[in-house]
Amino acid sequence: MEERRTIINKTVKTGVGFGSVLAIVISYTNWHSIGWAIFHGLLSWVYVIYFAIRY
């Protein structure tokens, strides 16, 4: 059971990091603004999903 918990924790940490980086790259590519990129990076997957639906 402990091994399963470790795998889930690692997966969640990696997923959150990847979502933030993806949001930052998409945001900076579109808006050319570090401020917006940081803000969208904090929103993470929410911004990625919004961008996918919107554009």
Side-chain angles (χ1 to χ4, degrees), residues 28-49:
Y28 189 78
T29 301
N30 278 343
W31 303 107
H32 303 290
S33 168
I34 293 173
W36 278 117
I38 291 170
F39 177 68
H40 293 142
L42 293 173
L43 294 176
S44 185
W45 285 109
V46 174
Y47 180 71
V48 173
I49 292 169

